[in-house]
Amino acid sequence: MTDAKTKSSNYIIYMILVVAIGVITASTGDISQTMLSAAAGGGLFAALCMTKRKIWASLIPVIATPGIVYLMTRSLDCTALSLSFLPVGLLVYYGMAKKLSRMQTVIRVLGVMLLFYGAVQAVYVYVLFGSLTPETISKFVELNLDVFRIFYSQLREFYIANGLEIDKLFTEELIEHVIEETRVMWFGYALAAFGVLGFVSTAIAKALCKKEGAFPKECGDWKLVFSKVGALVFIFAYIAGNLYSSETEGLYLAFAINAICFGLSPAVLYMGASKILGKIRASKRTSALITFLIAISVFGHYVLLFMLIVGIYVTLTYEEKDAVSPTEEK
């Protein structure tokens, strides 16, 4: 009886957390915050659906969250953003209920977040320019790049005003170079971010469902395993990215190559990191993490390249009998 009451209170806690996270982030109108909300709230919502398979339990956050946000802000934009957890949560729930692999689930979450926030941005483009065409989308991208340009220019002026000798290092040319790099990488950044958020949502749902005894046994350990085909695609894209650039081959090839490289890199890095952590005793992992962070700050590019090489090797040599990584047990 006591256990049943505890589980009942847990369902209520999950519902309150989903609503609270959605309301707090959406009421700010900050899209980046709602992306984090989609991952955390989506994981909680999926756990709620798995542990309390009744229609009322899932409907309460879906109705309450946008309702509260609308009453607070009177903004349709914020109201729509408050439901970012819903498609993520439904897909994570579907992945567990249908015993899909964790990678399949993460890819689905990545796709639905891309569609959801793509639709949000499309509405912004339409409101700003009165139409949704390749030309207006390009104008919208350039408008956002101008925001970066203004930020970097103000940062440079701030440093100079405070007596820092960076006038020759932090030049206008460097700012423009950063802008051009961002122009061909922004979609890849989005894919990488959505992939990481998809992993976070599955991790939350998995942990809560295991705690409640609602995690499907058929899913096993629900390890995140990158495919060998994906690793080969990453290798070819990485090589192509070092052979071609937007200056020599035009914008679109570099844009596509960066989308592939950045979109797949979190999975490759995860495979490498989980393998290395698996070789380190639990008592030594904190010091190993500190050492890694120091190495990143000093030798950044080379450390990441090493991790990518390890990740590719682990992926291409992975066998199902391999031990569960320590990060997957969390």
Side-chain angles (χ1 to χ4, degrees):
M1 185 69 176
T2 304
D3 184 59
K5 288 183 178 180
T6 302
K7 287 187 176 182
S8 178
S9 65
N10 287 342
Y11 304 143
I12 296 173
I13 291 172
Y14 297 161
M15 284 189 287
I16 292 174
L17 285 174
V18 172
V19 174
I21 292 172
V23 169
I24 292 171
T25 56
S27 60
T28 66
D30 189 325
I31 292 182
S32 60
Q33 289 189 34
T34 64
M35 291 178 183
L36 298 175
S37 169
L44 285 161
F45 186 75
L48 175 65
C49 293
M50 287 295 293
T51 57
K52 191 72 171 178
R53 299 187 185 187
K54 293 184 179 179
I55 190 67
W56 65 266
S58 58
L59 284 181
I60 289 176
V62 175
I63 296 172
T65 306
I68 295 173
V69 171
Y70 183 75
L71 289 175
M72 290 176 60
T73 65
R74 300 295 178 178
S75 168
L76 293 178
D77 293 350
C78 293
T79 303
L81 287 172
S82 70
L83 284 173
S84 59
F85 72 87
L86 181 59
V88 173
L90 289 175
L91 282 179
V92 175
Y93 165 70
Y94 179 84
M96 290 188 293
K98 296 299 182 180
K99 289 78 179 178
L100 301 179
S101 72
R102 192 165 177 188
M103 180 57 74
Q104 289 175 321
T105 304
V106 169
I107 291 173
R108 282 168 168 77
V109 171
L110 185 158
V112 78
M113 291 188 76
L114 190 63
L115 290 173
F116 181 86
Y117 287 102
V120 170
Q121 297 295 330
V123 171
Y124 289 161
V125 172
Y126 186 83
V127 171
L128 281 172
F129 302 105
S131 63
L132 186 63
T133 64
E135 290 75 18
T136 55
I137 292 173
S138 178
K139 287 181 181 179
F140 184 71
V141 171
E142 292 303 320
L143 183 63
N144 282 275
L145 290 177
D146 284 340
V147 173
F148 281 108
R149 188 177 285 108
I150 293 170
F151 169 77
Y152 287 128
S153 296
Q154 290 176 343
L155 186 63
R156 176 176 178 272
E157 292 173 3
F158 172 79
Y159 285 150
I160 294 173
N162 283 273
L164 298 177
E165 298 293 335
I166 63 166
D167 193 25
K168 294 182 179 179
L169 297 176
F170 201 8
T171 62
E172 293 291 341
E173 291 76 14
L174 177 60
I175 294 174
E176 288 304 316
H177 176 73
V178 172
I179 295 298
E180 288 304 313
E181 290 291 313
T182 305
R183 192 190 308 278
V184 297
M185 292 181 180
W186 66 267
F187 188 64
Y189 289 152
L191 292 178
F194 291 152
V196 171
L197 292 174
F199 171 81
V200 171
S201 63
T202 58
I204 293 173
K206 174 184 173 182
L208 294 178
C209 288
K210 281 195 169 185
K211 178 182 176 182
E212 300 294 338
F215 190 74
K217 293 181 180 178
E218 296 85 350
C219 288
D221 295 309
W222 220 33
K223 296 180 289 184
L224 183 70
V225 181
F226 192 44
S227 71
K228 292 179 173 62
V229 174
L232 292 174
V233 171
F234 177 83
I235 292 172
F236 289 129
Y238 189 87
I239 294 173
N242 286 276
L243 293 176
Y244 305 106
S245 66
S246 57
E247 290 81 5
T248 59
E249 300 297 328
L251 178 65
Y252 298 107
L253 179 60
F255 186 83
I257 289 173
N258 279 289
I260 295 172
C261 284
F262 279 94
L264 297 179
S265 59
V268 177
L269 291 171
Y270 173 83
M271 293 294 289
S274 62
K275 185 68 173 181
I276 292 173
L277 281 177
K279 299 294 184 180
I280 301 174
R281 288 185 298 176
S283 59
K284 301 290 185 180
R285 285 174 192 159
T286 301
S287 58
L289 178 60
I290 294 174
T291 303
F292 174 74
L293 293 176
I294 294 173
I296 281 284
S297 64
V298 179
F299 308 105
H301 175 75
Y302 300 101
V303 174
L304 288 177
L305 181 59
F306 171 75
M307 293 296 294
L308 287 172
I309 293 172
V310 173
I312 290 294
Y313 172 78
V314 171
T315 302
L316 294 177
T317 59
Y318 180 85
E319 300 291 341
E320 286 298 327
K321 62 182 179 181
D322 287 357
V324 180
S325 69
T327 53
E328 283 293 320
E329 287 300 322
K330 294 181 181 179

